[in-house]
Every structure is written in C-alpha cells, then in structure tokens.
Amino acid sequence: MQVSSCNISDCFLCSSCLPEWKALVEVKKTTLRFKKGAQIFGEGGKVTGIYFLYSGSVKVHKEWGEQKELIIRFAKKGDILGHRGMGSDPIYPISATALEDVKLCFIDNAFWEATMKSNHALTHKLVQFYAVELQQAEKRMRNLALMEVNARIADALLEMKEIWGVNSEGYISVPVARRDIAAYAGTIYETVFKFLSELTQKKIIATSGKSIRIIDEEKLKQHIKTKKSIG
Amino acid sequence: MQVSSCNISDCFLCSSCLPEWKALVEVKKTTLRFKKGAQIFGEGGKVTGIYFLYSGSVKVHKEWGEQKELIIRFAKKGDILGHRGMGSDPIYPISATALEDVKLCFIDNAFWEATMKSNHALTHKLVQFYAVELQQAEKRMRNLALMEVNARIADALLEMKEIWGVNSEGYISVPVARRDIAAYAGTIYETVFKFLSELTQKKIIATSGKSIRIIDEEKLKQHIKTKKSIG
DNA sequence: CGTCATGTTGACATTTCTCAATCCTAGTGG
DNA sequence: CCACTAGGATTGAGAAATGTCAACATGACG
C-alpha cells in the first residue's frame, strides 16, 4: 500500500458536478493501492473511513459461514465503498475485494463526518446516492427471489457489461471467475458452467478463459423471465 | 384521507433525539389516513414527497408482471416511507400498502428538500438511516439467495415478531396473510401453508386465523440454516 | 340451501443441487 | 525431454427441494 497524490477526475462525486468534493479530496491526498485478489476491508471489521474507487474493479460481498458468499454488487472506478458502515454500528456489514489492481482515495471517519456537517451540497448528493443504491439493492432482491437460476446468470452477464463496458474486442472489460458469477447469481459453480456452455454453443456469447463477450444481447435477454406465482 | 394535527411523539427521527424534526413536522401539520389494504403509493408513480408512519403497519413491495410480488420489508410506526424516491429519478421503485389502518405524516418534496438544505442534523441523521436500510436490504438479499425456503419462512416469522412485537396473548401484533408471508419469503402460498402446519404440529408455533404465536423461538431458529455451497 | 371464495392436501413435474468420475493442463522431478 | 501428479475444468447420473396443479373441504354470505 503506497500513498501518493490522488487524481480525482473520475471520482463519482466530483465528476457529478461537485467542486466541493474535489476540494475535499485535495485536502486528503491519500491514495491506497491493493493488488488483485486483496481484501480492501472485511465484514466484521471496524469502520475507519470511506473509500472512493479511483481505478480498477471491486466485488462487494457478504459471507455466511465458511464457504458461502453472495456478491452484493460489483464496483467500478468512481464508485464509493464502505458507505454502508456509516450507520450507528461502526462495523462493516460486508467485505470488499479487488478483482483487479485498484487505486482508492481514502477519507477517514473524522474528516468525513466533519465535511458532511459543513458541506451541504455533498451531503445532499450523498443522500441521493444512497437512495439509488437502495433501489438497486431492492431490485436485486427481487431478482434473486423471483428469477430462475439461468435468468439470474444471464442478468449477471448483462449487469457486468453495463457496469464495466466492453474492450476493443467486445469482451466485458473485467474478466470474472465463474465462481464469482455464481456467487453473484446466487447459485453454484457447475450450474453457471453448464449454462455458459449452452450459451456459447448457441452462439449467444463467446468466452475466452474468464473473458466473456456477449454476441446476441437480445437472445440473452429472452432468458430473463420470472418464475412461478410467488406470493 | 383526512387532514388533522400530527402527534409526532413516536416518529422515527424525533424519538431519536432530533428536536429539529419535531419543529419540522409541526410546521406541516398534515396527517394522511389510509384504510387497511389501501395503497399509499404505487411503483411507477410520481414521487411527491416523503412519508412518516405515525401508526399502523405497512408492507413495502415490488412487483414483477401481474401476479408476482416480493415484499421488500414491513414497516411499523415511526418508520420512513418513500425515501427511496429521493434519487435522481422521481418515480417510486416500490409500492407501499397498508396492512392495517394507518396514519402518516406527509412532507412534500419542496419542503423536504428545503429542510434538508438548512437542517444539517436532520440530513446527517438521514444518511445514517439510509446506511442502516442498505445493510438490512443486503442482509435480506443474502438470505433470499442462500437460505432454503423453510429457513426463509422461519426467518420471516422472527422478523415480524422483531418488528411488531407481540400482544398480550403472545401473538405477533399484526396478523399477516399467508400469501404475504410467502411474498416476503420469496416462495408460494402452499409451501408456507405446509411449513406453518408442520410447525404448528410440532408445537413450535400456534396459529389462530392470521395471527401467529411463536412458542419455541429456539427450535424455530434451528430451522434457519444456509443451503448448499453457493459461489 | 346454493354458490363462491378460500383453506387444505396430496400427487407429480421440474428445477436445481450434489456428488463423483473423467479429462485437461501446467508445473515438477527424474 | 518425458512421465507424473495436483488441481481445476467438464460432464453426467441421480437426489433433494420446491413449485404446479388439481381435487376436495370448509366456511361466508346472500
């Protein structure tokens, strides 16, 4: 973990019209770096501050027991991490792990709290940000409960494309292990494997190791159906 | 829908140490009333303001298609409703329906926004509130993805008891239709029915119509296990 | 008393997970 | 350079969980 100057041109808040935020981060020129696979913070750990993802991609996940995890969301550069810890209980309810090498801006608690008190625009923006996060969490809740497994996997692919975009060859920019896709879709590795094979055979997607290219987005979307008469 | 004076002694924010909030609501003496079963606001509707539940209980739910719904959470008096609409898009992502007759304080958008700008303490409190909601949503996401059906039903019962408490006879204060329990647990009516019958037979719970009494909380908790090796 | 809605139950179909066998691939030591 | 092994990828058979459906019971209500 090195510390260096933080270029914030891509940060969530400042890029969304908040010069105050730029000023904030320039006061705290703290950049943390983590290697691919490293844990940025862990469920149950003490909340020490809030992170802004400057570059790289991250999975935010929640464990249950030893071998079970659910990936709550994927984060890309510009996203905020650790804001779930701002409730009354200063313990992280989730973990964040780097999927690629990442660079983050770190703002410690005291500084962040002080800034929120003095900077209305920032706080107001933050409220909006939370509202959007909450909407997404609830949409995902519905998907996990109401969609069939294959639909959830298809949805995961589309989400990843949406979040990270594609590279020059059309592959989703961040390669993700099948195990992680499973952990995101709430299913097991084998099921993901079989469905991706099927999609490849039907030429709806193409894979190259962990890289995935969506060939026929329309057909992929047709797999997204709800199941049964819940409720 | 009548309008009358609003007694706010039980509202979430003021009961949690915010005299400013008391002042706020006293300015807007607006109480709305809804009958049991009435919809307070609907998914897709335009966001006109934010609600504080003064009395009664509410289900917050998200639809998919005609016949499928997932209950996101149950709300009790003192809770906030409609705060998910505070994002950039002024459309409710969820619906709220009264489970009993309810009384709400309603604050329109303009007034609320103005208050947030001038009242730091309130806004700060709100950020904490959002963080907690987000944590709960993510916990629920994990439960829906990782727990087996019976475990989710057991969990639903415990949640309802936690949220609403029990009456003098030990029954969960708010009677909930089995269909709603199913919609909360992400399963179908018949499955809930069968599991509740089984629990009744084992004398872990007792039911009287829609009212449910948890007899042996320990045994009920033993049903809460995760399934398989997700991820 | 008839009818409709809802509760209750069981048989069955489907989905999805579990497990284990086999197949690769890369790295290792001879 | 080649067998050898470990670990992950791939696949299929079968089990278990859970949803579907349909039949029957019960109770509310006109």
Side-chain angles (χ1 to χ4, degrees):
Chain A
M1 281 197 315
Q2 297 178 25
V3 174
S4 71
S5 165
C6 175
N7 173 343
I8 56 162
S9 60
D10 279 313
C11 271
F12 162 76
L13 286 168
C14 49
S15 68
S16 313
C17 80
L18 264 196
E20 294 91 339
W21 166 241
K22 187 158 191 161
L24 167 65
V25 177
E26 273 167 1
V27 173
K28 310 288 284 188
K29 289 179 188 300
T30 311
T31 301
L32 304 180
R33 289 160 197 276
F34 287 86
K35 286 282 175 202
K36 175 176 177 175
Q39 191 180 65
I40 297 162
F41 53 82
E43 192 170 348
K46 201 163 175 312
V47 173
T48 56
I50 196 166
Y51 300 81
F52 292 81
L53 187 52
Y54 172 57
S55 68
S57 55
V58 168
K59 65 173 175 178
V60 176
H61 48 120
K62 199 168 173 69
E63 320 283 341
W64 194 340
E66 275 296 298
Q67 309 238 263
K68 293 139 194 162
E69 74 165 343
L70 180 74
I71 294 180
I72 301 289
R73 66 174 182 126
F74 292 118
K76 64 169 190 304
K77 75 174 178 178
D79 282 351
I80 303 180
L81 295 171
H83 54 289
R84 287 160 186 75
M86 307 306 281
S88 42
D89 191 18
I91 301 292
Y92 285 117
I94 42 118
S95 305
T97 302
L99 291 173
E100 306 168 305
D101 291 2
V102 298
K103 250 165 73 184
L104 310 124
C105 307
F106 176 75
I107 313 284
D108 67 74
N109 264 336
F111 193 81
W112 177 247
E113 295 264 337
T115 306
M116 280 213 293
K117 273 183 187 139
S118 63
N119 187 335
H120 312 179
L122 180 67
T123 310
H124 188 248
K125 198 89 192 168
L126 192 68
V127 167
Q128 290 193 340
F129 171 74
Y130 271 110
V132 171
E133 281 263 305
L134 206 45
Q135 288 180 24
Q136 286 175 350
E138 285 162 355
K139 185 174 166 195
R140 218 157 125 48
M141 237 162 86
R142 185 200 57 181
N143 290 354
L144 285 167
L146 264 45
M147 281 169 40
E148 303 189 346
V149 166
N150 284 356
R152 299 202 302 264
I153 297 170
D155 191 58
L157 299 180
L158 293 168
E159 288 275 319
M160 293 192 306
K161 181 180 174 183
E162 177 75 19
I163 291 171
W164 291 317
V166 297
N167 64 19
S168 56
E169 290 159 343
Y171 286 90
I172 293 170
S173 300
V174 182
V176 175
R178 263 140 249 237
R179 294 207 180 277
D180 280 339
I181 297 178
Y184 186 82
T187 185
I188 58 171
Y189 173 80
E190 288 94 326
T191 301
V192 169
F193 183 88
K194 286 170 188 173
F195 185 52
L196 290 191
S197 296
E198 186 192 328
L199 290 176
T200 305
Q201 210 166 34
K202 290 183 182 167
K203 303 210 183 307
I204 296 174
I205 66 169
T207 62
S208 166
K210 289 181 183 172
S211 292
I212 296 173
R213 181 161 56 93
I214 297 175
I215 299 172
D216 192 334
E217 194 156 326
E218 280 317 304
K219 278 195 189 155
L220 189 54
K221 280 181 183 165
Q222 285 168 20
H223 281 277
I224 301 184
K225 308 231 176 68
T226 65
K227 63 177 169 190
K228 21 261 165 164
S229 343
I230 294 303
Chain B
M1 281 198 312
Q2 297 180 26
V3 174
S4 71
S5 166
C6 175
N7 174 342
I8 56 164
S9 60
D10 279 315
C11 272
F12 162 76
L13 286 168
C14 50
S15 68
S16 313
C17 79
L18 263 198
E20 295 91 338
W21 166 241
K22 187 158 189 161
L24 166 65
V25 177
E26 273 167 2
V27 173
K28 311 287 286 188
K29 289 179 187 300
T30 309
T31 301
L32 303 181
R33 290 159 196 276
F34 288 87
K35 285 284 175 199
K36 176 176 177 175
Q39 190 180 64
I40 297 162
F41 54 82
E43 192 170 348
K46 201 163 175 313
V47 173
T48 54
I50 196 166
Y51 300 80
F52 292 80
L53 188 51
Y54 172 58
S55 68
S57 55
V58 168
K59 64 173 175 178
V60 175
H61 48 120
K62 198 167 175 65
E63 319 285 340
W64 194 340
E66 275 296 299
Q67 309 239 263
K68 295 139 193 162
E69 74 164 343
L70 180 74
I71 294 180
I72 300 289
R73 66 176 183 125
F74 293 117
K76 64 171 190 301
K77 75 175 178 178
D79 282 352
I80 303 179
L81 295 171
H83 54 290
R84 288 159 186 76
M86 307 306 282
S88 43
D89 190 17
I91 301 292
Y92 284 117
I94 42 116
S95 305
T97 302
L99 291 173
E100 307 169 304
D101 292 1
V102 298
K103 249 163 76 182
L104 310 125
C105 306
F106 175 76
I107 313 284
D108 68 75
N109 265 336
F111 193 82
W112 177 248
E113 295 265 335
T115 305
M116 278 213 293
K117 273 183 188 138
S118 63
N119 187 336
H120 312 180
L122 180 66
T123 311
H124 188 248
K125 199 88 192 165
L126 192 67
V127 167
Q128 291 193 340
F129 171 74
Y130 270 111
V132 171
E133 281 264 305
L134 207 45
Q135 288 181 23
Q136 286 176 350
E138 286 161 354
K139 185 174 167 198
R140 220 158 125 46
M141 237 162 85
R142 183 199 59 181
N143 290 354
L144 285 167
L146 264 46
M147 282 169 41
E148 304 189 345
V149 166
N150 284 356
R152 300 201 303 264
I153 297 171
D155 191 59
L157 298 180
L158 292 168
E159 286 276 318
M160 293 192 306
K161 182 180 174 183
E162 177 75 19
I163 292 170
W164 291 317
V166 297
N167 64 20
S168 56
E169 290 159 343
Y171 286 90
I172 294 169
S173 301
V174 182
V176 174
R178 263 140 248 238
R179 295 207 179 278
D180 280 339
I181 296 177
Y184 186 82
T187 185
I188 58 171
Y189 173 80
E190 288 94 326
T191 301
V192 169
F193 183 90
K194 286 168 188 173
F195 185 52
L196 291 191
S197 297
E198 186 192 328
L199 289 176
T200 304
Q201 210 166 34
K202 289 183 181 166
K203 304 212 184 304
I204 295 173
I205 64 169
T207 63
S208 165
K210 291 181 181 172
S211 292
I212 297 172
R213 181 161 56 94
I214 296 175
I215 299 172
D216 192 335
E217 195 157 324
E218 281 317 304
K219 279 196 186 154
L220 190 54
K221 279 180 183 165
Q222 284 168 20
H223 280 276
I224 300 185
K225 306 230 177 67
T226 64
K227 63 176 169 190
K228 21 258 164 168
S229 343
I230 294 302

